[in-house]
Amino acid sequence: MARMGDVLAGFHAAWEFESDSVLIRFERGIRTPKLFQALGERRIPLDAIAAVTLTPGKRGTVVLRAEPRAGADPLMEAAAGQLKDVCDPYRLVLPAERETLAEYYADELRAMLSPEDTGPAERYLVQAPETPLQFKAYDGKASFDGKSVAFRWFWTGASSTKWKAGDQSFAVSDLCGVEWRSPEVFEGHLRLLRRETGVAQPAQADQDPAAVVFGLGYGPVHESLPFAAAVLAAVRSGGPAAPVADGAVAVAAAPRARRDPADIAERIRHLGELHEAGLVTDDEFSVKKAELLAEL
């Protein structure tokens, strides 16, 4: 049996096995993903883990992964499946020659999991990133002190709609969720979903005073995702979340309105420029273009 305090070290991280949790400590270094460096370390309770897998990796490696339960970790809930494998904090990559050792720990970890703890969690079990938090987006600076979120607009990036609305402050009690779109894809943004009824939020984040938009070098994953997770955890703990179907615990989604054809054409043109500049891959260009055309 694995002993309390046993450590399994891999690339960029080490897992320490304890009686009721796994403590993941991330390395600091130029090759370590910035998200891992920002997280520092994370304690994952065993009841937050649904399953454990061991699969072949790339270039002579194996990957040990703890599959988090839906609704157990605000960071993964905010990410909503958008993290690249290299930035997945639940993956431990090891040299292939350590496969036997990794398999041993995978089996031991599986044996410690309860069959009852595989469905969606009723509350967050993994601690959210600590506040205060802040980051710079393309059109403004976002800050969160644990009680309210503030957006201060930049004159160089904010739309006229946001300038007219002025700097914004949102109490956690007035929010029902968070919508995060990775800055590594076209139209990345962080949008706060409000509890107000009968008030439709603009479909476009750059026109929504309750959202900040990302750009190349603005709103990076390692700053904006922990921020989104902390806000989401505060919203969840501060009151009932927005209604969801069949017990789902996903981040609430904002309603999407049909866009103006001229706006779609302009965004496709901009997407084409990013593609030609090599900032968007062929696949990303095709997928995003199809998404934009589907909104007509």
Side-chain angles (χ1 to χ4, degrees):
M1 293 290 293
R3 299 181 303 275
M4 185 172 66
D6 278 2
V7 176
L8 181 62
F11 297 113
H12 308 316
W15 289 13
E16 182 175 341
F17 299 89
E18 302 185 350
S19 60
D20 60 352
S21 62
V22 177
L23 178 61
I24 302 177
R25 291 192 174 95
F26 299 105
E27 292 181 353
R28 296 187 179 277
I30 59 174
R31 296 184 180 275
T32 301
K34 289 185 178 180
L35 177 61
F36 293 177
Q37 296 186 51
L39 295 174
E41 67 177 39
R42 308 192 79 213
R43 186 177 300 278
I44 312 300
L46 296 182
D47 57 358
I49 301 174
V52 179
T53 61
L54 182 65
T55 57
K58 298 179 180 179
R59 302 176 182 175
T61 63
V62 292
V63 180
L64 177 63
R65 186 174 192 271
E67 181 73 30
R69 292 172 62 189
D73 185 348
L75 187 83
M76 303 306 286
E77 288 291 288
Q82 299 173 77
L83 284 180
K84 296 180 178 179
D85 284 348
V86 68
C87 289
D88 183 349
Y90 284 83
R91 295 173 82 250
L92 181 65
V93 182
L94 304 109
E97 57 266 24
R98 305 192 71 188
E99 180 176 3
T100 300
L101 182 61
E103 187 172 3
Y104 165 77
Y105 279 105
D107 289 340
E108 292 296 303
L109 190 53
R110 291 189 192 104
M112 298 170 67
L113 303 182
S114 170
E116 299 178 355
D117 294 334
T118 57
E122 296 181 355
R123 59 183 178 84
Y124 289 134
L125 302 172
V126 182
Q127 185 175 353
E130 295 183 358
T131 57
L133 292 166
Q134 63 181 25
F135 71 91
K136 290 183 179 179
Y138 175 73
D139 58 355
K141 179 180 178 180
S143 58
F144 179 49
D145 61 6
K147 297 181 179 179
S148 62
V149 180
F151 294 155
R152 180 170 61 82
W153 307 123
F154 296 154
W155 69 270
T156 53
S159 64
S160 59
T161 299
K162 292 183 177 180
W163 268 115
K164 291 178 181 178
D167 293 345
Q168 301 288 303
S169 180
F170 304 88
V172 167
S173 58
D174 293 334
L175 304 177
C176 66
V178 176
E179 180 183 76
W180 182 80
R181 295 292 179 265
S182 173
E184 295 181 343
V185 299
F186 189 61
E187 293 187 322
H189 63 262
L190 171 71
R191 188 197 303 267
L192 305 176
L193 306 180
R194 290 170 284 184
R195 294 184 183 276
E196 298 175 2
T197 57
V199 180
Q201 294 184 234
Q204 297 171 236
D206 62 349
Q207 300 299 313
D208 188 352
V212 289
V213 298
F214 305 144
L216 189 62
Y218 296 91
V221 171
H222 72 281
E223 294 181 345
S224 61
L225 180 56
F227 186 102
V231 174
L232 188 58
V235 169
R236 180 72 60 84
S237 64
V244 291
D246 301 326
V249 288
V251 180
R256 296 185 65 87
R258 296 180 66 85
R259 291 185 177 178
D260 183 89
D263 176 65
I264 294 292
E266 174 62 22
R267 289 178 177 273
I268 290 177
R269 183 193 65 78
H270 179 55
L271 181 63
E273 293 177 349
L274 294 176
H275 181 237
E276 292 179 0
L279 300 176
V280 174
T281 66
D282 292 343
D283 289 342
E284 290 171 338
F285 174 76
S286 299
V287 170
K288 190 57 190 179
K289 182 179 178 181
E291 290 179 358
L292 289 169
L293 290 174
E295 296 181 17
L296 289 173

